[in-house]
Amino acid sequence: MDQNAQAPAAVHATQRRQSRRPTLASGVLLLTVAGLCASLPGEAAADLPAELVGHVQELALSGARAGAPQGARVSVQLGALDSRLRLAPCREVQPYLPQGQRMWGKTRIGLRCLDGARTGPSGARWNVTLPVQVMVHARAVVAAQALPAGTTLSAALLQTAEVDIAAEMGQVFLDTGLLEGRSLQRPLVPGEAVRSSDLKARRWFAVGERVQVLASGRGYAVSGEAQALEPGFDGQNVRVRFENGRTVTGRAVGERRVEVLL
């Protein structure tokens, strides 16, 4: 994978204290830094030390690769800290991935001071986040021409190309056949990736249609026929009624098919 990365622009800093030492996550790199210096408004900001930049880039790359398809090119561009911040000097800075933060697209990496310069009994400790842009270039299905909302997709309207699949939310597609007959809920420009969030929900059956219901539990599965009481959209819950009058809720999974987990 391509591991292009750019160093951040100038860093402006402001002091932030914490009442207790953060808990260290296993496997996160520690870095001793002698001069992540304070920057006052109007003064030139100090750059992040090169060693810290390298650790931040590698942490972002590692997080991005975890969800990237095989053969994808991953690159990282670091941003700058908030210009209103003013950080006290710190000897030991720890970059870390914030809990629940996905390393795709516009995201953030945490920086926390573990052992600040000894200006007082406990020294300065702060915790900030650095903006990061993570790009994951891979082949995916894209619009071959401008496609207005409501377009029913076909192979003639689509092609594959290398795009930044991390640029937007939503799953991309690798095979044009998977999109045959699907409809767009928003317009696409030429070369734009088709994502799951761009598609109208697929309706498998209408109200009143007879559907096959598969009910499964631990170690068994039974099937039967029922009447749909609601339209069945792909992956959404729907109520169906059996001939004996019993009503159950299942998930629409295919053409006139409903799955019930017991």
Side-chain angles (χ1 to χ4, degrees), residues 15-28:
Q15 187 171 4
R16 181 180 297 174
R17 298 184 180 273
Q18 287 187 216
S19 60
R20 60 179 185 175
R21 186 184 186 94
T23 301
L24 301 186
S26 60
V28 179

Side-chain angles (χ1 to χ4, degrees), residues 17-23 112-114 122 125-127:
R17 298 184 180 273
Q18 287 187 216
S19 60
R20 60 179 185 175
R21 186 184 186 94
T23 301
R112 54 189 166 204
C113 176
L114 302 180
S122 60
R125 292 175 185 166
W126 38 258
N127 193 339

Side-chain angles (χ1 to χ4, degrees), residues 204-225:
W204 291 120
F205 48 84
V207 176
E209 282 195 79
R210 305 298 294 180
V211 297
Q212 282 296 121
V213 181
L214 175 65
S216 60
R218 182 175 296 179
Y220 73 94
V222 294
S223 62
E225 193 175 81

Side-chain angles (χ1 to χ4, degrees), residues 58-137:
E58 187 53 43
L59 193 59
L61 286 168
S62 177
R65 291 191 196 108
Q70 186 175 7
R73 295 187 299 109
V74 181
S75 60
V76 174
Q77 183 175 359
L78 305 186
L81 294 175
D82 191 323
S83 61
R84 296 167 295 182
L85 295 176
R86 184 174 55 194
L87 301 178
C90 183
R91 289 191 297 263
E92 191 176 18
V93 177
Q94 179 193 49
Y96 67 95
L97 298 182
Q99 186 174 5
Q101 193 81 40
R102 189 172 185 232
M103 284 294 106
W104 278 46
K106 291 182 179 179
T107 184
R108 290 181 172 271
I109 281 185
L111 298 175
R112 54 189 166 204
C113 176
L114 302 180
D115 185 14
R118 293 290 175 177
T119 57
S122 60
R125 292 175 185 166
W126 38 258
N127 193 339
V128 297
T129 57
L130 179 70
V132 175
Q133 179 76 35
V134 177
M135 291 150 283
V136 181
H137 295 276

Side-chain angles (χ1 to χ4, degrees), residues 180-215:
E180 191 78 33
R182 301 296 300 271
S183 297
L184 293 176
Q185 66 175 352
R186 74 171 188 88
L188 297 179
V189 299
E192 185 176 2
V194 182
R195 299 176 184 272
S196 56
S197 54
D198 300 329
L199 304 174
K200 290 182 179 179
R202 182 162 34 193
R203 194 178 77 168
W204 291 120
F205 48 84
V207 176
E209 282 195 79
R210 305 298 294 180
V211 297
Q212 282 296 121
V213 181
L214 175 65

Side-chain angles (χ1 to χ4, degrees), residues 46-70:
D47 290 335
L48 287 174
E51 190 179 0
L52 178 58
V53 169
H55 283 316
V56 170
Q57 289 172 345
E58 187 53 43
L59 193 59
L61 286 168
S62 177
R65 291 191 196 108
Q70 186 175 7

